[in-house]
Structure formats: C-alpha cells, structure tokens
Amino acid sequence: MSKNHFITRIAPNLVKAKSETSTRFWQDIDPSSKLHTVKPLLDLITSSSPYLTTLLHNHEGFVSELLTRAPEDVLANLCSGLGEIINAETRTIAMAYLRQAKQQLALLVALCDVGEVWSLNEVTTALTQFADAATEAALSYLWKRDNASPLKGYVVLAMGKMGAFELNYSSDIDVIVLYDAEHSSLDKIFVPETYFVKLTRNLAIMLQDITEDGYVFRVDLRLRPDPRATQVAIDIEAAANYYENYGQNWERAAMIKARPCAGDIELGQEFLDRLKPYIWRKYLDYAAIADVQSMKRQIHAVKGHGEIAIFGHNLKLGRGGIREIEFFAQTQQLIAGGRNPKLRCIKTLDALDMLAEEKWITLKTASELKSAYQFLRMLEHRAQMRNDQQTHETPKDPTEFETYAKFSGFENGDALAKQLQATLQTVQNHYAALFESAEDLSSSQGSLVFTGGEDDPATLATLERLGFSQSSEISATIRGWHFGRYRATKTARARELLTELMPLILETLAKTGEADKAFFAFDKFLESLPAGIQLLAMIKANRKILDLIAQILGYAPRLAEKISSQPRILEAVTAPDFFDPLPAKNILAAELNALIANTASIEEAMDITRVFAREKNFRVGVRILSETISAEAAGRGFSEVADCVLAKLLDVIKNDLVARHGHLKGGTCVVLGLGKLGGHEMTAASDLDIMLIYDHPESSETSDGKSPLSPGQYYSKLTQKLV
C-alpha cells in the first residue's frame, strides 16, 4: 500500500472535474486554506451531503492536515488516540471524545472513498478498525472505574459485517457479549451475573446514545442466542451449550464471520475454537443441507427477467441486492467448508474467490458477483453519507436521484439507473440459479425470513399481505420456535421441517379468515405437543392434514386438545377410507377385539381401549367438521363407539373378576344405555348414562373363587371397575 499523502492519491478525474460550487460553503473558508487544493472533490461532497458539509466546517483544521498526510497514518492516530479516554474524569467527557473522533473518521473515510484514494476493502477495514478501537476504549474506561485488575473473563464478539471487517459507512455494530464468571478478574464485591449485564448495557450507552456530538456506533445485541429470552451478556458455558445443542443453520452462517474484538480476546478465541465442529461440520446429511439451502430460498427470488425498481430500491435487502450475494457465498461455505478449510473465509469477496478456485462456482460467476458487490456497497455508502443514516435505499425522488448519481461518480441519473438495473439483474440471475430446481420457501406474496434476532422488513410486509395484522409479534414468535423454546422444536430435524413448511403453515392459517387468531392458536397447539417431528413429517407427506389442523384449531378446540396430546391420531385422516361411510358396530367390535386379544393385563386392555375410543371419536368429529356426515349419523357414530367399548371392557372386567374371585354360578348382568347413548344421539361432549342390572339364583350365595364375594359385592365391584 502506498504511503503517499492524500493529495497525491486522489483520482485524477476528481482533481480536474467541475462540480456545482457551494458558495455558502466556500465563503467561510480562508482563501489560503489547503482545502482549495481539492476544491472539485469538496464541491462534489458539499453539493451532495449536508452531513459531510457540516463536518467539513467543524473540522477544517483536521481536513487540512489530512490532505498532506498519508490517510493510513491518520487512521492509526485516530484509533490509538481513543485509548486516552481511560483517564477521562467523567463518562460525559469520555463519550464526547469518542464522538468527536468518530466525526473525524467519517470525514477521513468519506474523502478517501469519494476521492478513490481507498478501495472498498480499505474503506470497510478502516471503519471496522475504528469500531474495534472504540469498543475496546469504552470497555476499558468502564472496567477501570470498578476494578483494579486488568480485564479478564469478559469478551465482545464482533459479528456480521463488523466481524468480517466489512462495516458500511453508517453501520450498526452486531456483537455478542460473553462472560466466564469463574475465571473473571472481577472485583469480589460484585455479583458476576448482574455486573456483566450492567457493564454491557453501559457499554452500549457509551457507544450509541445520541448527544450534541452525535453517536459513535449503534449497537445491536440481538444476534445472541434467543434474544427475547436471554440477558444482553451470556454465560459462556450456557452459550456453548446452546450452539452445540440448539444452534440453527443461520446461526452457523453468522458464526462464520465471528471474531473477538474487545475484552478478553483469548477467551473469545477459545470459545470460537470450541464451536468449530458446530460451525464447520465435516458431514452434512441431506436434511441439514436442505435447511442451509432454505435460508436463501426463504427470500422471494423471482426467476427470469422481471422489472426491478430503481428509484427507492433497497440495495441490501431488495432483489439482486447485497444480501443475496452474501447468502450465495455463505450457504455454499456451510455445506462445503467442513471438509475444505480453504472455504472458511470471513470476507465475502474472499469467499467468492475461493469458491471459484475450488470449482464450486465458475470464475465468471465469481467475477460478476464481486463486481456487483463492490458496486452496490459503493452506492450504499453514498446513500448513507448524505445524512449519516443507516439507509440502504436509493432516492425515490428523481431530482434527488440525479444528485445521488453524480455523487456516485455518474454523469447523470440515467447512466446510474442503467448500470444499477444490469447489476441487480445479474445478481438475481446467479442467486435464483442456485435453487432453480428447488421448491421456494417463500410465499407467493413475498419473502418469509425468520433468521437473526430482528424483524425482516420484507417478511413483515409479506405477513401483512397474507392477512396477519400482528406481523411483528408473529415474526418474533416464529423465531422463538426456531430457537427451540418448545419441546416440539428442540431437535434440529424438527426445526428443519418447520423451516421448510413455514410458508405453507402461514398461508393455510391465513385462509381461515381470522389469520392472527388462527396463528396464536397454532402456537399454543405447537407448545403443547410432546414432540414435533412426527406431526411435521405427516404434514410434509400429506399437506391436507394442515388444512384439517387449521379447521380444528379454528372451530373445534376440544379436537385440538386431543391431537396435542396424541398427534398420531391424525394418521387416520390419511387412510384411503377415512371419508367412507362410518364403520358398522360389528366392524368396530372386531377391530377392538383384535387389538385386545393378546393383552396381558386389564390395565393394558384399558390403555388400548382409550386410544381406540379417541381415534374413532376423532374421526367422527372430523367428519362433522368437514360436513361429510349428518348430525344423525354422527350421533350414531359416537354411540356405537361407546357401545363397543362398553361391551368389550365388560368382558375384560368379567374375566378379571373370575380370575380373582371365581364365578357366581348362574349369575348374569346387562348394561343399559340411557339418555343420548340409549337413543344413539351422543355428541362429542356427551357423558355416558348407563345402568348395570344383574340377576342370580337364590342358591348362589357367594362366588366360588379363593376370595369369594356375595352377589351384591360381586356386581358392585364389577360396576366400579367398569366406571
């Protein structure tokens, strides 16, 4: 890298270019100021960015000095100077110093970026190095106020773009904070669990609170395990256990870029080394590969050459955008990186190069995606430089788009629009080709992405188009399913099936007419399941079952309780004869007789009979719900199930009674069905109204077993057992 000073490294076209002059800016600048030596560059900036114009006024001396120095040296001084805040008298002073330094960094990076002094890699690396230094400085300041010993046992992991040294101009910083209470150097007067959470919150405040000097970086802590259920700082052993047992494939993708950036670096590296087998699996089964692929298929990828909007287009999340390029690389890294360490690159551009070198993609594909990535990131930076906003959208207003185009180095808006259209279409074509033969995991209404710790805007819009009004709460609930909060979603296979079925589940629930009510009923149903694989596998094999579940949840809560406790009864719905006429009583009796024929005890017979009754009554209930039988037929169906159960259990109990107390010679009994049972008019909620009548010869005073009973005792015991 050249160490020549700034002026000698500006792109020639920006030294001679004629841009709109900002009279208001130059009227306050001393004619002898060095700023005049780069007037075309500053004209371009001041005519395009109110934010940078203000910073140029506030830091004229800094910019003048920058022009005659190597920008790398200026960056190094900015980063090293942050360490001075450790001796600040108050937090307010420390925060002001950090924010003033960030303003100078913003100027340095903008001038080097717009002036083409630095490449995209140098720009994003500079932003990230400063973020590392600011995080470390703020943490050191907070730690020193409370502790005499050097910090140990607490680490900040940089994630996402920060982890990969790819921060954008107005980026949030995504971090995960871990602590090891047992081996920390925390003063003994503090409770580790409480202190480290408070320390993390104060760290976020120092970096992101907006003061008269602005902010340093917005801090996002939501990439940690199950952010709605965990504290902002997590015990390191608990975090390791989570990832090793419940970690999702999107979290594996996130961990590709993870690195310790502040605090106990050694502790952070030990943690990441422990997770290598989780992140980089040597062998992936087909289900896991499908789940990795599903991360990209959840995004609505329109195949072909449909129109892509240019004005107001989201350069990050929109079609053909930055995230599609990142997913293109990461999903293939996850599948192949376990067996090929060369693919474990943290930078997107490096990953594309290595995927091409290892023959996973063509050199042409890598080249086109790299060019697109660099172009889109440049446009993203220009959009953010205008007002220091975390935006990823091009201007919607044509006049603003024209200014934006010139700021981005184009002659006019048409020239930018033409290249942007071609770039987005190129990315979209490569992205869609990855899964052109696979079933989409998005909805026909748009993307359905439930990864990460925050709502995906496109997904919220899709949910609302489907008919859900509480889109944010629904999105968060689904992420909770994927975090394994319920027994039904504890296993990796259950979560993989859930990912695959999610569009179908949401679209089916939305069709009930009360989308939100149906969704939260399904959530309650899922929470009550003892396990999820069986049910989800059934839905995958026969998707009509989901229609049935939606109907049941919406209209038959008693049936919903039954399938929650025993989801296997849904299997009956898949039988070819399910919607045939209900079986006659003699067929039911024969089936129950066969089931109980070889039972060893009365308890086993009773268990089998309970399952039999639930399944047969469930069938009748579903037939009512689907309006495929009349009320009269349903009443007879429920009643005949009860008849068969009573008859069979009476035989079982008689045999048990004989074994214990012998026969009552000449004795006989009958069960009478009364009320709705007697009239074959039972409902799903009916009790059994029965009467047992017995008779015996006067000569039969007791039964003939080892423990003889009188007739009254004998039939009373039989009746009690039957009930």
Side-chain angles (χ1 to χ4, degrees):
M1 181 190 301
S2 171
K3 286 290 184 180
N4 294 337
H5 60 71
F6 181 90
I7 291 178
T8 64
R9 293 162 61 182
I10 300 178
N13 60 304
L14 289 171
V15 176
K16 301 177 182 179
K18 290 185 178 181
S19 299
E20 182 180 338
T21 298
S22 173
T23 306
R24 184 177 178 183
F25 173 75
W26 289 108
Q27 69 184 6
D28 297 326
I29 303 299
D30 189 316
S32 64
S33 171
K34 293 177 184 175
L35 269 59
H36 287 276
T37 61
V38 289
K39 187 174 184 298
L41 172 61
L42 297 185
D43 281 343
L44 177 61
I45 289 174
T46 55
S47 63
S48 308
S49 170
Y51 169 67
L52 289 173
T53 302
T54 299
L55 292 188
L56 284 167
H57 275 300
N58 293 343
H59 297 276
E60 181 184 344
F62 170 78
V63 177
S64 296
E65 183 184 357
L66 162 65
L67 297 178
T68 56
R69 296 183 60 195
E72 296 79 14
D73 293 340
V74 177
L75 173 66
N77 288 342
L78 275 177
C79 291
S80 62
L82 295 177
E84 296 178 15
I85 72 166
I86 199 167
N87 297 314
E89 292 183 7
T90 66
R91 187 193 293 187
T92 301
I93 294 173
M95 290 171 66
Y97 188 97
L98 287 171
R99 282 152 179 75
Q100 287 292 319
K102 173 63 186 300
Q103 291 179 14
Q104 293 177 347
L105 174 82
L107 278 170
L108 168 65
V109 170
L111 289 166
C112 288
D113 191 355
V114 178
E116 299 179 28
V117 172
W118 281 348
S119 65
L120 172 66
N121 180 60
E122 289 170 319
V123 167
T124 59
T125 297
L127 289 164
T128 308
Q129 286 175 339
F130 184 87
D132 284 0
T135 305
E136 181 64 54
L139 178 58
S140 297
Y141 170 79
L142 292 169
W143 180 265
K144 186 182 177 184
R145 290 195 316 163
D146 298 325
N147 299 276
S149 303
L151 189 153
K152 184 179 179 184
Y154 177 96
V155 63
V156 180
L157 297 182
M159 306 293 292
K161 286 183 168 61
M162 184 179 182
F165 289 91
E166 294 175 336
L167 281 182
N168 58 46
Y169 190 78
S170 295
S171 186
D172 297 348
I173 57 174
D174 295 311
V175 296
I176 292 176
V177 176
L178 306 171
Y179 65 85
D180 182 353
E182 186 178 348
H183 299 99
S184 77
S185 55
L186 182 65
D187 192 300
K188 292 184 179 179
I189 66 170
F190 297 111
V191 178
E193 292 78 5
T194 304
Y195 179 83
F196 288 128
V197 168
K198 184 178 179 182
L199 175 63
T200 304
R201 288 180 176 148
N202 286 333
L203 176 62
I205 287 170
M206 282 199 69
L207 294 174
Q208 72 182 11
D209 270 22
I210 298 175
T211 70
E212 62 182 11
D213 297 304
Y215 67 100
V216 189
F217 291 99
R218 292 172 295 270
V219 181
D220 193 334
L221 292 153
R222 291 174 295 181
L223 279 182
R224 68 185 186 275
D226 200 356
R228 295 184 84 194
T230 56
Q231 291 283 11
V232 292
I234 302 177
D235 176 82
I236 198 163
E237 190 62 29
N241 287 334
Y242 168 83
Y243 287 116
E244 291 166 351
N245 293 295
Y246 304 115
Q248 302 168 64
N249 278 315
W250 73 262
E251 290 173 304
R252 292 176 55 227
M255 280 292 172
I256 289 176
K257 298 179 182 291
R259 63 178 178 82
C261 67
D264 190 339
I265 302 298
E266 185 178 349
L267 175 68
Q269 194 55 56
E270 288 174 358
F271 175 78
L272 293 177
D273 288 343
R274 175 176 174 177
L275 290 192
K276 278 183 180 177
Y278 154 72
I279 303 168
W280 303 109
R281 299 178 187 172
K282 278 198 171 182
Y283 304 100
L284 286 179
D285 59 29
Y286 288 110
I289 291 174
D291 190 54
V292 171
Q293 292 172 334
S294 77
M295 290 191 299
K296 59 181 180 286
R297 289 193 282 136
Q298 289 173 28
I299 299 176
H300 192 54
V302 181
K303 303 176 178 66
H305 300 278
E307 190 68 26
I308 298 177
I310 297 300
F311 294 102
H313 188 79
N314 192 311
L315 299 165
K316 177 183 177 182
L317 304 177
R319 287 179 56 195
I322 294 165
R323 187 167 66 173
E324 289 189 1
I325 302 173
E326 292 171 338
F327 271 30
F328 182 96
Q330 288 175 2
T331 51
Q332 293 177 92
Q333 283 181 281
L334 285 182
I335 290 172
R339 300 181 69 179
N340 186 348
K342 290 182 180 179
L343 296 176
R344 300 177 188 180
C345 314
I346 64 170
K347 289 178 176 286
T348 302
L349 295 178
D350 292 345
L352 290 169
D353 279 335
M354 195 53 64
L355 285 167
E357 184 177 315
E358 296 300 301
K359 312 299 183 186
W360 280 86
I361 60 176
T362 66
L363 288 171
K364 182 175 183 289
T365 297
S367 176
E368 289 181 350
L369 288 178
K370 285 176 64 181
S371 295
Y373 181 80
Q374 292 168 317
F375 176 62
L376 293 173
R377 288 298 304 271
M378 180 274 290
L379 292 180
E380 179 185 52
H381 287 177
R382 296 298 186 276
Q384 293 175 352
M385 284 177 188
R386 295 170 72 212
N387 293 299
D388 188 30
Q389 293 177 334
Q390 175 66 328
T391 181
H392 308 281
E393 294 183 354
T394 61
K396 294 179 181 179
D397 179 75
T399 302
E400 291 184 12
F401 190 87
E402 196 72 21
T403 302
Y404 172 69
K406 292 177 181 178
F407 191 31
S408 301
F410 287 84
E411 185 176 346
N412 53 47
D414 289 341
L416 169 58
K418 183 178 180 180
Q419 184 169 336
L420 180 55
Q421 174 77 40
T423 300
L424 296 172
Q425 192 63 65
T426 296
V427 174
Q428 172 66 192
N429 291 344
H430 285 302
Y431 183 72
L434 267 183
F435 50 96
E436 60 187 358
S437 62
E439 182 180 4
D440 284 337
L441 294 186
S442 61
S443 164
S444 59
Q445 298 293 320
S447 298
L448 288 173
V449 180
F450 301 103
T451 56
E454 59 185 302
D455 292 334
D456 171 63
T459 295
L460 297 185
T462 301
L463 289 172
E464 288 161 10
R465 283 193 292 270
L466 285 169
F468 297 97
S469 60
Q470 299 180 55
S471 56
S472 184
E473 181 63 25
I474 286 169
S475 177
T477 300
I478 293 172
R479 289 200 301 275
W481 296 348
H482 287 289
F483 282 122
R485 288 188 195 152
Y486 298 161
R487 289 174 298 174
T489 61
K490 287 289 186 188
T491 66
R493 179 57 182 148
R495 293 193 298 273
E496 288 160 3
L497 284 168
L498 194 62
T499 298
E500 189 171 347
L501 293 168
M502 191 53 59
L504 178 68
I505 290 171
L506 291 170
E507 289 176 347
T508 302
L509 295 175
K511 290 175 184 175
T512 62
E514 294 190 63
D516 294 291
K517 181 180 177 182
F519 174 84
F520 291 112
F522 184 82
D523 175 56
K524 186 176 180 182
F525 166 66
L526 194 65
E527 184 181 14
S528 67
L529 289 175
I533 291 178
Q534 182 185 28
L535 175 64
L536 295 170
M538 277 196 291
I539 292 173
K540 182 180 179 182
N542 189 332
R543 299 192 174 186
K544 289 183 179 180
I545 289 179
L546 185 59
D547 294 323
L548 175 62
I549 291 174
Q551 275 191 299
I552 290 171
L553 292 172
Y555 305 112
R558 286 176 64 93
L559 287 179
E561 290 176 11
K562 288 183 179 180
I563 57 176
S564 295
S565 60
Q566 195 178 9
R568 69 176 291 271
I569 64 177
L570 282 168
E571 291 177 350
V573 182
T574 66
D577 63 347
F578 184 82
F579 289 102
D580 290 348
L582 294 175
K585 188 192 296 187
N586 65 319
I587 295 175
L588 289 172
E591 183 179 342
L592 183 55
N593 285 336
L595 290 170
I596 292 180
N598 298 313
T599 53
S601 67
I602 188 172
E603 288 77 15
E604 186 180 354
M606 289 167 67
D607 288 340
I608 291 172
T609 306
R610 289 188 186 102
V611 173
F612 173 85
R614 276 198 294 264
E615 289 184 355
K616 300 308 176 186
N617 285 335
F618 176 78
R619 179 175 186 173
V620 178
V622 171
R623 295 294 299 276
I624 296 170
L625 194 63
S626 60
E627 299 180 345
T628 56
I629 57 172
S630 65
E632 182 182 357
R636 180 168 290 278
F638 283 127
S639 300
E640 290 188 345
V641 171
D643 286 353
C644 289
V645 167
L646 283 168
K648 188 59 190 176
L649 284 183
L650 186 63
D651 286 342
V652 170
I653 293 165
K654 281 180 180 178
N655 293 335
D656 183 69
L657 209 59
V658 168
R660 296 172 184 272
H661 304 286
H663 290 92
L664 186 67
K665 195 169 183 178
T668 186
C669 67
V670 63
V671 176
L672 295 182
L674 306 175
K676 285 186 167 60
L677 174 60
H680 289 110
E681 297 172 334
M682 285 185 65
T683 69
S686 292
D687 294 334
L688 286 182
D689 294 318
I690 60 174
M691 179 186 298
L692 187 137
I693 300 174
Y694 68 92
D695 192 16
H696 62 93
E698 291 185 6
S699 57
S700 296
E701 296 182 357
T702 62
S703 60
D704 57 10
K706 293 180 180 179
S707 301
L709 296 173
S710 68
Q713 291 174 318
Y714 195 89
Y715 286 107
S716 177
K717 190 172 283 288
L718 186 150
T719 304
Q720 289 170 355
K721 279 186 173 289
L722 180 62
V723 171

